[in-house]
């Protein structure tokens, strides 16, 4: 059955490949990206709708949520695929460390703002996580932005661990209301990922021409996203879990199964976003058109 599928970070790499594959399978795909030109090109190449949003600016994320909520009364799948690994500690216009905001706070905000339509649609919410959560992640709930202990790898690993914990808590809070949340590692993929980082290990992995020959293709990286988007949660895969190679991951960061940490991360994220909005309250979902 055709679905309406929103994919962020879809102007390049895994997101663009997934958009093409899902469109070929007959779904209505909404391509979301940061670059207006690249996002439009991907969308035009498959005849899809597109929206532009910059996750380093939460105002842009709120505008994206409002547009999606009003233009698409049903969203069957929200794929939070946008993300990246960056360099030295950098603060966004909203006052948050860039890696934390782009990879976690922005998709957290987008998802929570869209909760009314996602619940009504009984949607699948997919987080593109990473093996970096296990390799580099060591979350300190009192220092989510790594102000005291920053490195590009740790910031990225923590943010990907955030994605897995967010998936766990989204399932805990809204699984009974019809939302099916899942996270996955796409593999080490040959794409433009890590082009802007100062991390030597990331640059050697993703930027070395000799190494790149042995990395997976973007189509291979998109495989799990497409599989999770098209199949039935609770039957084909288990909500609230983190997957690698279409299987529940067994080699994981121990923090990723900490339910109390997942709850505390959710609460801390709400407080941070409320403070950034200046409202002093939790994020407010957009007003949606009636059925």
């Amino acid at each position: 059955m055709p679905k309406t599928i929103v994919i962020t970070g879809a102007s390049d790499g895994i997101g663009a490949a997934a958009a093409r594959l899902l469109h070929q399978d007959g779904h209505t795909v909404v391509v979301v990206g940061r670059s207006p030109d690249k996002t439009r090109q991907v969308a035009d190449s498959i005849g899809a709708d597109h929206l532009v949003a910059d996750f380093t600016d939460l105002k842009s994320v709120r505008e994206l949520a409002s547009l999606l909520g009003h233009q698409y009364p049903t969203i069957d799948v929200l794929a939070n695929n946008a993300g990246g690994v960056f360099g030295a500690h950098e603060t966004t216009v909203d006052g948050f460390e860039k890696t934390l905001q782009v990879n976690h706070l922005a998709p957290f905000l987008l998802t929570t703002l869209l909760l009314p339509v996602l619940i009504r649609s009984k949607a699948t919410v997919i987080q593109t996580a990473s093996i970096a959560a296990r390799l580099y992640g060591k979350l300190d709930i009192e220092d989510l932005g790594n102000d005291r202990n920053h490195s590009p790898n740790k910031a990225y690993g923590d943010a990907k661990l955030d994605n897995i914990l967010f998936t766990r808590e989204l399932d805990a809070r809204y699984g009974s209301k019809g939302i099916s949340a899942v996270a996955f590692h796409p593999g080490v993929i040959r794409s433009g990922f890590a082009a802007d980082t100062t991390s030597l290990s990331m640059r050697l992995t993703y930027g070395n021409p000799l190494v790149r020959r042995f990395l997976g293709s973007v189509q291979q990286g998109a495989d799990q996203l497409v599989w999770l988007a098209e199949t039935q949660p609770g039957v084909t895969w288990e909500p609230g879990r983190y997957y690698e190679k279409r299987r529940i991951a067994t080699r994981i960061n121990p923090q990723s199964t900490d339910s109390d940490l997942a709850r505390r991360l959710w609460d801390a994220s709400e407080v941070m976003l409320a403070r950034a909005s200046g409202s002093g309250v939790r994020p407010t979902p957009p007003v949606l058109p009636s059925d």
Side-chain angles (χ1 to χ4, degrees):
M1 182 176 177
K3 299 179 179 181
T4 297
I5 301 173
V6 177
I7 308 176
T8 68
S11 61
D12 200 356
I14 293 168
R20 294 186 179 100
L21 291 169
L22 289 164
H23 176 77
Q24 289 173 10
D25 289 346
H27 303 288
T28 297
V29 178
V30 184
V31 177
V32 179
R34 180 174 62 88
S35 166
D37 290 340
K38 291 171 65 177
T39 304
R40 183 179 61 253
Q41 289 171 11
V42 171
D44 288 350
S45 71
I46 60 176
D49 293 343
H50 74 279
L51 293 169
V52 175
D54 182 353
F55 278 19
T56 65
D57 185 345
L58 294 179
K59 179 181 177 182
S60 181
V61 177
R62 292 185 178 93
E63 291 171 350
L64 171 64
S66 181
L67 287 170
L68 286 170
H70 286 87
Q71 293 181 20
Y72 303 95
T74 297
I75 296 176
D76 299 293
V77 179
L78 171 62
N80 286 315
N81 173 69
V85 57
F86 306 107
H89 191 288
E90 182 179 349
T91 303
T92 69
V93 295
D94 301 288
F96 302 119
E97 192 274 326
K98 184 177 180 180
T99 312
L100 171 67
Q101 179 164 322
V102 170
N103 290 277
H104 169 62
L105 289 176
F108 179 96
L109 177 62
L110 178 63
T111 303
T112 53
L113 288 174
L114 288 174
L115 277 174
V117 68
L118 295 174
I119 291 170
R120 189 171 64 203
S121 304
K122 297 188 181 301
T124 292
V125 178
I126 303 171
Q127 300 286 331
T128 301
S130 171
I131 196 174
R134 173 170 61 84
L135 296 177
Y136 307 117
K138 188 175 181 181
L139 206 64
D140 179 354
I141 203 73
E142 303 299 330
D143 188 25
L144 291 175
N146 283 292
D147 297 324
R148 296 190 294 267
N149 185 26
H150 184 276
S151 73
N153 285 359
K154 184 178 187 304
Y156 182 66
D158 283 358
K160 294 294 100 178
L161 181 55
D162 291 340
N163 293 158
I164 297 171
L165 289 166
F166 173 47
T167 294
R168 188 178 188 87
E169 187 65 10
L170 183 62
D171 175 71
R173 296 190 184 215
Y174 294 100
S176 63
K177 296 184 179 181
I179 289 180
S180 299
V182 66
F184 77 101
H185 169 49
V188 184
I189 302 302
R190 185 171 60 251
S191 70
F193 179 78
D196 299 327
T197 186
T198 58
S199 167
L200 180 59
S201 61
M202 292 285 188
R203 292 182 71 86
L204 287 175
T205 300
Y206 292 96
N208 188 313
L210 295 177
V211 175
R212 284 175 65 87
R213 294 171 55 190
F214 299 97
L215 303 184
S217 68
V218 291
Q219 289 76 20
Q220 290 172 316
D223 171 77
Q224 278 187 107
L225 195 160
V226 172
W227 172 66
L228 292 167
E230 292 188 323
T231 54
Q232 186 175 352
V235 177
T236 309
W237 49 268
E238 185 179 341
R241 304 301 292 270
Y242 165 58
Y243 278 75
E244 295 181 4
K245 298 180 179 180
R246 294 195 179 192
R247 296 178 180 176
I248 295 174
T250 55
R251 298 181 64 196
I252 58 173
N253 185 319
Q255 285 188 308
S256 67
T257 60
D258 187 332
S259 297
D260 181 64
L261 182 61
R263 177 189 57 77
R264 293 170 65 203
L265 174 64
W266 182 293
D267 292 343
S269 301
E270 285 192 325
V271 170
M272 294 169 75
L273 291 169
R275 186 182 303 125
S277 71
S279 65
V281 296
R282 294 182 175 183
T284 303
V287 177
L288 302 177
S290 57
D291 292 329

